[in-house]
Amino acid sequence: MASSEMAKNTVVGILKASNKAEDLLTNCLKPFGISLQQFNVLRILRGRKGKPANLTTVQKRMIHKMSNTTRLIDKLINKQMVSRKICEHNRRKIELLITDKGLDVLSQLDLNIQNTEAEILQPLGMEEQKQLRNLINKITLNHST
C-alpha cells in the first residue's frame, strides 16, 4: 500500500473511532439535556475547584476549539449550571463558575460517563490503551495550536 493510501486510511480510521466515541458519549448525555461541548465546559469549571475561570481559560481547555464558546456558556447559564459575574478587581473581566446544579448534574453523570468510556475502549487491553494514548499524543502534541 502506498504511503498516501496508508495515511488516508489511518486518518479515516481515527475519524471513524472519534465519531463512534462522540455518538456513545452524546447518547449518555442526552437524558440530561446537555451537549458534549457543554459537558466539556462543566468539567473544565469543576476542575477549577471553585476558582473562577474566564472565557479564554475555558476556550484553551476545550476539546472542540470553537468560536461560539460564549453561546455555549450562555446556554449553561440559562440552564442554571454556570454563573457569570463581573470581576471585582477588573470590571472588563467576566468570571465563570459552575453552580451547585452543574455540580449535581456532573456527579449524576460521572458513573455513566465512566462506563461509556470503558465501553468505547472495551476491545483494547490496558497495554493497547497505553499504546493508543501514546500514539494519539504524538499526533496531537505535534499539531498543537
Side-chain angles (χ1 to χ4, degrees), residues 85-134:
K85 66 177 187 165
I86 296 171
C87 176
E88 293 176 20
H89 308 294
N90 180 352
R91 307 255 334 130
R92 292 177 293 169
K93 189 174 166 188
I94 301 294
E95 295 181 331
L96 304 166
L97 287 160
I98 189 167
T99 64
D100 287 342
K101 182 177 180 181
L103 289 170
D104 183 50
V105 166
L106 284 183
S107 70
Q108 290 178 56
L109 271 167
D110 282 339
L111 186 59
N112 290 345
I113 290 292
Q114 191 177 358
N115 289 338
T116 302
E117 290 167 343
E119 178 186 344
I120 292 165
L121 295 174
Q122 183 273 327
L124 305 177
M126 291 307 250
E127 200 52 45
E128 289 172 311
Q129 288 181 37
K130 268 190 228 173
Q131 274 183 310
L132 179 59
R133 185 76 207 126
N134 288 335

Side-chain angles (χ1 to χ4, degrees), residues 7-142:
K8 180 183 91 171
N9 289 343
T10 302
V11 170
V12 168
I14 291 168
L15 293 172
K16 283 181 176 180
S18 171
N19 195 41
K20 179 70 173 174
E22 280 193 40
D23 285 349
L24 289 168
L25 290 166
T26 297
N27 286 338
C28 182
L29 298 171
K30 206 172 274 185
F32 294 85
I34 60 173
S35 69
L36 194 52
Q37 292 81 10
Q38 289 170 342
F39 174 70
N40 187 218
V41 169
L42 291 174
R43 289 213 311 197
I44 290 166
L45 294 176
R46 177 174 67 179
R48 297 191 50 86
K49 299 181 184 347
K51 184 178 168 199
N54 60 36
L55 189 62
T56 305
T57 302
V58 172
Q59 283 176 318
K60 282 181 183 172
R61 305 241 9 246
M62 292 284 295
I63 293 169
H64 294 90
K65 308 291 185 215
M66 52 179 48
S67 59
N68 64 351
T69 308
T70 302
R71 194 180 60 140
L72 249 180
I73 290 170
D74 286 344
K75 286 183 176 184
L76 289 168
I77 289 168
N78 289 339
K79 294 176 184 182
Q80 300 176 337
M81 294 183 195
V82 170
S83 67
R84 172 179 38 215
K85 66 177 187 165
I86 296 171
C87 176
E88 293 176 20
H89 308 294
N90 180 352
R91 307 255 334 130
R92 292 177 293 169
K93 189 174 166 188
I94 301 294
E95 295 181 331
L96 304 166
L97 287 160
I98 189 167
T99 64
D100 287 342
K101 182 177 180 181
L103 289 170
D104 183 50
V105 166
L106 284 183
S107 70
Q108 290 178 56
L109 271 167
D110 282 339
L111 186 59
N112 290 345
I113 290 292
Q114 191 177 358
N115 289 338
T116 302
E117 290 167 343
E119 178 186 344
I120 292 165
L121 295 174
Q122 183 273 327
L124 305 177
M126 291 307 250
E127 200 52 45
E128 289 172 311
Q129 288 181 37
K130 268 190 228 173
Q131 274 183 310
L132 179 59
R133 185 76 207 126
N134 288 335
L135 294 170
I136 290 169
N137 282 340
K138 270 186 171 178
I139 294 169
T140 56
L141 294 175
N142 190 44

